[in-house]
Amino acid sequence: MRNTGERIVQNALMLVAFSALASLLLIAVFIFKEGLPFLLRTGLRDFLLSSDWRPQEGHFGIYPMIVSSLWVTFGAMLVGAPLGIACAIFLNEFVPKSVMRVTKPTIELLAGIPSVVYGFIGVIVVAPLIRSHLGGPGLSVLCAAVILGIMILPTVISISVDAIGSVPNSYREGALALGATRWQSVHMVVLKAARSGIVAGVILGMGRAIGETMAVIMVAGNSVKIPHSALDSVRTLTANIALEMGYATGQHRQALFATGIVLFVFIMILNSLAMAAMKKSVK
Amino acid sequence: MKRFMIGMAMGLTVVGLLAGCGRQSAALVTVAGSTAFQPFAEKLAEQFMAMRNDVNITVQGGGSALGIQAARSGTAQIGMADLVQLPPEAAELVSTTVARDGLALIVHPANGVTNLSIEQVRGLFNGTLKNWKEAGGADQSVRVVSREAGSGTRSSFEQTVGGIRLTAEAIIQDSNGTIRETVANDPNTIGYLTHGLLSEKVRAVRVDGVDCTEAAILEGRYKLVRPVFLLTKGAPGGAAKDFIDYVLSPEGQGMIRSYGLLPAK
């Protein structure tokens, strides 16, 4: 009796586990099914490298969106990565454990704030600051980078904290015994040992930044053009899909799914890089 | 395990009860399309259903293009579209004009420009007029705010002005509300929205010397106006016809007016 019960639960759990996998697979199949015919018809080069996006006239070039996505993500990394890593070092090495116990969950709460709220803060606070002090429309690469940089902090910090925390204490003690100062032991020994974990955290944060949609639509301005400066308004791949999906029919809709494929490939690459980095850290 | 089963059973019962609440014998009418007219259609449907117990109307958005598509395929009995010119594929549908909507050109209250000719509007949105100086304003660069490709408001605007090929510099916002916010926050922007959503945070510009007011739109002096169509496959019949008749009745038209749109006639 007990055995059958156990088996039922076991199988049910397995079913649940596989359904998660299956939904991922289904999503991938669906995106490719909708977008691939379009890609094959238009040709990869015309789609990826043309900068003419006028769906009403049948021109579908997403080059500006690709460039914009990369710039916005790169900017978010410039803001988020140093802040996040510095915060992780500080929490692990320079404050008592009791402070860490309060601070870390608080930072992780940041991940629970809806992206609309981040976007709203970007529109109301950050964009006007940029417009009045630096010029341009305010809704820009810079604004998106700042907002996304803050949004990826919880990811970067919590993974970096774990990576730094898993460096054995004997390393630190060894460094101190050799006469290193605390900072020297941190940046010459601890950071080196935790490097791959930190890199994984940064890459996962990057994946979050490139995939974020709502906040970016609100703060990036969504112009379809290749940005010439950080103050230009841009449209990312995700924003392009979300903005136009509601109205798109026929070829336009397929082009948006093809945009989804490009995004899918980007994120797959980033995630495999992160996994490879993490694997290295386990060794 | 047992407790889990009981929970499940209770959950299912509640879902079943809720599902049973719908009106069983009512005639179903689906209305779909324009997101601009959707909130008005919802209120009209609510009022209509309060009078008619035997009809159940569901209103969905999706945009004017979807409204045309849904009416053609029959997934909706009534499609909503607010385009100046219906596309060729809508030719087979019967269209009834139920309201009119003025498109207001808006700038920041601090912007010095009060009047623009259609020619200047075209230049601003095409990106050939890059400085407010060229349109009679301060020496500041122009920032254009528009809607996303496919939006009914955008295509109506571009068709009524004519000859617009939107500049790549244009900032794109995805609703009337966010356009208003963007313009309200930046003295050098120009955008457009349905005149029912004007507020004191932005200022409507005169077009060819005509203010965007209800009177000017009704008299046909204000140029940027688009009709709102209800589309049916063949002449409307049954409950769909009753609903359209209600929208066109003095009561329905009065409600449309009180919500900020303009009556059809």
Side-chain angles (χ1 to χ4, degrees), chain B:
Chain B
M1 195 65 198
K2 206 171 191 180
R3 203 180 290 163
F4 171 74
M5 290 295 225
I6 295 172
M8 277 288 267
M10 278 171 66
L12 284 175
T13 318
V14 171
V15 170
L17 281 174
L18 285 177
C21 283
R23 278 181 263 192
Q24 300 273 314
S25 58
L28 257 171
V29 178
T30 306
V31 184
S34 161
T35 47
F37 192 63
Q38 185 189 358
F40 305 105
E42 274 164 5
K43 292 199 176 102
L44 287 162
E46 223 169 81
Q47 294 293 320
F48 183 70
M49 284 190 289
M51 299 186 315
R52 289 279 299 269
N53 253 326
D54 59 326
V55 182
N56 200 354
I57 299 178
T58 48
V59 180
Q60 296 164 2
S64 296
L66 186 127
I68 293 167
Q69 211 187 3
R72 285 179 67 201
S73 67
T75 46
Q77 282 77 33
I78 303 176
M80 305 180 278
D82 43 12
L83 301 167
V84 176
Q85 260 173 346
L86 289 171
E89 65 262 28
E92 56 177 282
L93 299 169
V94 176
S95 62
T96 315
T97 311
V98 291
R100 276 177 300 169
D101 182 16
L103 293 171
L105 270 171
I106 53 167
V107 293
H108 192 274
N111 190 314
V113 174
T114 52
N115 180 43
L116 289 169
S117 68
I118 287 281
E119 196 53 49
Q120 283 172 322
V121 173
R122 196 175 294 138
L124 288 168
F125 280 84
N126 276 341
T128 47
L129 295 185
K130 290 185 188 305
N131 196 306
W132 279 110
K133 210 167 51 181
E134 301 165 65
D139 184 11
Q140 293 284 350
S141 57
V142 174
R143 281 193 279 278
V144 173
V145 191
S146 184
R147 292 284 303 276
E148 69 281 16
S151 147
T153 310
R154 171 163 162 188
S155 57
S156 308
F157 173 76
E158 293 184 349
Q159 281 166 6
T160 43
V161 174
I164 286 188
R165 198 159 190 276
L166 188 68
T167 161
E169 302 289 318
I171 289 175
I172 305 293
Q173 292 290 327
D174 59 355
S175 73
N176 281 297
T178 46
I179 290 220
R180 193 177 57 194
E181 282 310 308
T182 311
V183 174
N185 278 321
D186 184 347
N188 298 318
T189 48
I190 180 163
Y192 54 86
L193 47 66
T194 160
H195 92 288
L197 292 174
L198 278 174
S199 78
E200 67 282 0
K201 287 197 286 184
V202 294
R203 185 163 51 75
V205 175
R206 283 199 295 273
V207 178
D208 278 341
V210 182
D211 265 317
C212 178
T213 59
E214 220 179 286
I217 296 170
L218 283 175
E219 289 160 21
R221 286 185 290 126
Y222 188 77
K223 292 288 176 257
L224 305 181
V225 179
R226 60 171 169 174
V228 179
F229 294 114
L230 291 187
L231 304 164
T232 48
K233 200 172 186 174
K241 180 178 190 308
D242 293 346
F243 178 61
I244 294 179
D245 285 345
Y246 172 72
V247 176
L248 287 172
S249 72
E251 196 187 343
Q253 294 287 305
M255 280 185 65
I256 282 177
R257 193 165 190 158
S258 68
Y259 295 140
L261 280 185
L262 295 169
K265 283 168 192 109

Side-chain angles (χ1 to χ4, degrees), chain A residues 31-52:
Chain A
I31 297 178
F32 276 87
K33 189 186 94 103
E34 297 286 319
L36 213 51
F38 175 83
L39 269 185
L40 294 177
R41 201 168 51 234
T42 324
L44 215 52
R45 243 187 69 203
D46 278 351
F47 185 61
L48 296 181
L49 297 180
S50 148
S51 10
D52 199 10

Side-chain angles (χ1 to χ4, degrees), chain A residues 198-235:
Chain A
I198 294 174
V199 168
V202 170
I203 295 175
L204 282 180
M206 212 191 258
R208 173 135 166 70
I210 207 169
E212 174 54 40
T213 310
M214 190 64 215
V216 176
I217 288 184
M218 294 171 77
V219 301
N222 307 316
S223 312
V224 186
K225 65 169 183 186
I226 297 162
H228 298 298
S229 84
L231 299 176
D232 274 356
S233 134
V234 292
R235 181 186 297 192

